[in-house]
Amino acid sequence: MRTEKKGLILTGGRLDLTFAGSFLQRETIDCVVSVDGGLTYTEQLGLIPNAIVGDFDTIEPSTLERYRKMSGILWDVHKPEKDETDTELAINTAIKLGCTKLFLLGATGGRLDHEWSNLHLLKMCLDLGVEACLMDKQNKVYLLSQEKTFYRALLHGTYISFLPMTEQVHGITLTGFKYPLFKKNICIGAEAGLCISNELAEEEAKITFNDGILICVESKD
């Protein structure tokens, strides 16, 4: 059994620094990877990254210079004209550094195309056997490919929503939820509200399904 290594990826979207600070107080992070403009957040949070990744088109040169003077940081510099996003490159770097669980902060709330791209990068992580989630003050987003038990005390917010990542997800059963389901199939583009804004009716609840991949969103109001 491999040892869990938790990585934090700081990207250049919107980030509530108060939330990020409280996250760092309650979560033990083994590796920090800063992505381009996310290096500003890194500095504001008082962190020294293990790696800095990007084409550096959205970061102040003075900030870059301060970190260039520090030793022991892996620099992964790319040209702006490339096939991968900076966040994809950062995920690859974090995995190369041995991370088995990734938290992406600053990956939401900016450009919608980048946010959706980051959501799809969760599928890349899933395929590589790496647990990953996007987090901000209001939401925690991750993928499910198998059953999961939810505990009220550990939820990011009150509400839980499930959306199909694959074209179809078969046999969804929800127990312990305010709105239960039994062996329900859902697909992209239909019954979009069926699995939106559910809540735990008990201290713990469970989802099971036969096949497919779900997007799970834990949200605060």
Side-chain angles (χ1 to χ4, degrees):
M1 183 177 180
R2 64 179 180 178
T3 302
E4 182 178 72
K5 183 175 182 178
K6 297 180 182 179
L8 172 64
I9 295 178
L10 287 162
T11 74
R14 295 176 186 168
L15 179 62
D16 184 295
L17 290 173
T18 301
F19 159 72
S22 64
F23 168 82
L24 289 170
Q25 287 180 351
R26 67 176 182 270
E27 194 70 56
T28 300
I29 297 298
D30 303 302
C31 179
V32 177
V33 178
S34 299
V35 186
D36 209 297
L39 189 58
T40 299
Y41 296 137
T42 306
E43 186 173 45
Q44 291 171 329
L45 291 166
L47 299 174
I48 304 298
N50 298 83
I52 298 175
V53 180
D55 52 36
F56 308 127
D57 60 348
T58 60
I59 185 68
E60 289 291 332
S62 58
T63 303
L64 272 180
E65 186 59 29
R66 282 192 291 274
Y67 278 96
R68 286 193 186 279
K69 293 177 181 178
M70 300 179 188
S71 61
I73 298 175
L74 171 66
W75 287 81
D76 190 8
V77 182
H78 297 265
K79 295 181 179 180
E81 299 80 12
K82 57 187 184 303
D83 294 330
E84 306 89 349
T85 65
D86 287 340
T87 303
E88 180 178 353
L89 293 169
I91 289 173
N92 288 331
T93 296
I95 292 174
K96 289 176 183 177
L97 291 173
C99 294
T100 58
K101 184 173 184 177
L102 297 174
F103 301 94
L104 281 73
L105 273 62
T108 59
R111 280 177 48 178
L112 194 56
D113 54 346
H114 282 298
E115 186 169 339
W116 286 358
S117 172
N118 292 337
L119 174 62
H120 282 273
L121 287 174
L122 296 179
K123 174 62 167 54
M124 180 183 80
C125 293
L126 183 68
D127 291 342
L128 293 171
V130 174
E131 184 180 346
C133 67
L134 314 179
M135 293 188 70
D136 58 33
K137 182 179 180 181
Q138 188 169 6
N139 307 290
K140 179 179 180 181
V141 186
Y142 51 95
L143 301 184
L144 293 177
S145 61
Q146 59 186 0
E147 65 182 44
K148 178 178 174 64
T149 300
F150 298 88
Y151 301 93
R152 190 192 302 277
L154 300 179
L155 291 179
H156 190 65
T158 302
Y159 303 102
I160 302 181
S161 297
F162 303 102
L163 294 161
M165 179 73 172
T166 49
E167 185 174 356
Q168 296 183 338
V169 181
H170 296 112
I172 297 175
T173 297
L174 300 176
T175 55
F177 285 90
K178 182 177 180 179
Y179 306 108
L181 281 179
F182 181 73
K183 298 296 183 181
K184 180 67 179 180
N185 302 331
I186 63 173
C187 63
I188 292 175
E191 295 184 304
L194 184 64
C195 294
I196 298 295
S197 294
N198 213 328
E199 302 175 47
L200 268 66
E202 304 170 14
E203 289 305 308
E204 61 182 71
K206 187 174 184 178
I207 181 172
T208 61
F209 51 100
N210 296 336
D211 55 64
I213 299 172
L214 287 167
I215 304 167
C216 181
V217 184
E218 299 179 15
S219 295
K220 300 175 184 177
D221 204 357

